[in-house]
Amino acid sequence: MDVGILEKKLGYEFRDKGLLVQALTHPSADSKAETRVTYERLEFLGDAVLELAVTQYLYAAMPRSPEGLLTQLRSRVVSRANLGQVGFSLGLEQFILLGKGEEKAGGRSKNSIVANTFESVFGAMSLDSDYETTKQIALRVLQDSLKQLAANPADVNPKGELQSILQAVLPETPTYQTTEIGARDADDRFLAEVHWHGVLIGSGYGSSKRKAEVAAASNALALKKWQSLC
């Protein structure tokens, strides 16, 4: 595997090639292989690095935006749906080391696997260099996504965003359960809970059913409970 091609696309050359190989190794890879250490821990690290980088960018770029909007915008950028698309644009799927079973199952074309690998590569990069270097490269790679936010900052649809993210992971639509719990003119008149695969992943209140469901979706985007289910 010529990782040099990927390094050129990223604009970063790894000092420790082993870290990059680990970042590209899916858990399905042969446990007897020399590269049996897989990307899972690096994915965990990369997720945090990318989220912090985008958080800092949005905080500086949008000084008058409220916390709720910033949270939703960040979720759009670092969602698996978006990171998978960016990964495919880099041709990342060509470099992933898969087990024979996952290869036959079309794992190389799965958005969730490419997104996970994208996160793991940046986790590896942060260990190979430092946070600031990784941050600058991440923001450059994600610049198209960030430009879309600048062009359409109000184009936020938490329910649609949540559904897009979850269906990129597993093909099941989230469901909402909404209950009237307060007075007719109360801001918390309705309580909405959003479930996915039978698990409560978010909740929220609103003066209408729609607002409560939007709040629940926003809460789910912030909590990211679905990551522990996959």
Side-chain angles (χ1 to χ4, degrees):
M1 178 174 58
D2 185 2
V3 295
I5 297 174
L6 177 59
E7 288 177 318
K8 287 181 180 179
K9 291 184 176 183
L10 291 169
Y12 178 80
E13 183 175 351
F14 278 78
R15 292 174 294 181
D16 183 350
K17 305 296 184 186
L19 271 175
L20 179 55
V21 172
Q22 180 183 343
L24 297 170
T25 303
H26 185 264
S28 67
D30 189 350
S31 61
K32 296 180 181 179
E34 205 170 36
T35 55
R36 62 183 177 275
V37 178
T38 64
Y39 68 42
E40 292 172 302
R41 283 173 56 83
L42 291 175
E43 176 198 346
F44 168 77
L45 177 60
D47 173 66
V49 169
L50 290 170
E51 184 165 302
L52 178 57
V54 173
T55 298
Q56 291 179 326
Y57 172 86
L58 292 174
Y59 185 85
M62 306 178 69
R64 296 186 178 181
S65 297
E67 180 268 344
L69 176 60
L70 294 176
T71 298
Q72 292 170 28
L73 294 178
R74 180 184 63 194
S75 295
R76 285 169 58 183
V77 178
V78 300
S79 69
R80 282 190 178 181
N82 186 60
L83 295 184
Q85 291 175 8
V86 177
F88 279 119
S89 73
L90 290 170
L92 187 57
E93 74 282 0
Q94 303 170 40
F95 302 94
I96 302 174
L97 298 174
L98 295 170
K100 292 181 180 179
E102 189 62 57
E103 186 79 65
K104 290 181 180 179
R108 205 169 295 281
S109 63
K110 292 180 180 178
N111 190 87
S112 58
I113 289 179
V114 174
N116 291 345
T117 307
F118 184 92
E119 291 177 335
S120 67
V121 166
F122 279 93
M125 189 183 298
S126 71
L127 293 177
D128 192 66
S129 58
D130 53 61
Y131 169 69
E132 285 301 325
T133 299
T134 306
K135 172 185 173 182
Q136 293 306 315
I137 295 174
L139 294 180
R140 176 171 51 75
V141 172
L142 294 170
Q143 62 181 328
D144 287 344
S145 300
L146 296 170
K147 285 179 181 178
Q148 290 177 11
L149 293 186
N152 301 291
D155 184 21
V156 178
N157 177 6
K159 291 182 67 176
E161 180 71 17
L162 180 63
Q163 181 167 321
S164 176
I165 292 171
L166 296 181
Q167 290 190 328
V169 180
L170 291 171
E172 181 173 320
T173 302
T175 58
Y176 293 82
Q177 296 178 356
T178 307
T179 307
E180 186 171 4
I181 61 171
R184 295 182 67 87
D185 58 348
D187 289 337
D188 59 352
R189 177 182 176 186
F190 292 94
L191 166 64
E193 297 180 334
V194 56
H195 296 79
W196 187 63
H197 283 273
V199 176
L200 175 65
I201 60 172
S203 62
Y205 297 91
S207 58
S208 68
K209 289 184 178 181
R210 184 189 66 80
K211 289 182 178 180
E213 290 179 358
V214 167
S218 296
N219 181 240
L221 288 169
L223 295 177
K224 296 184 179 181
K225 286 186 177 180
W226 64 82
Q227 294 183 346
S228 65
L229 304 178
C230 304

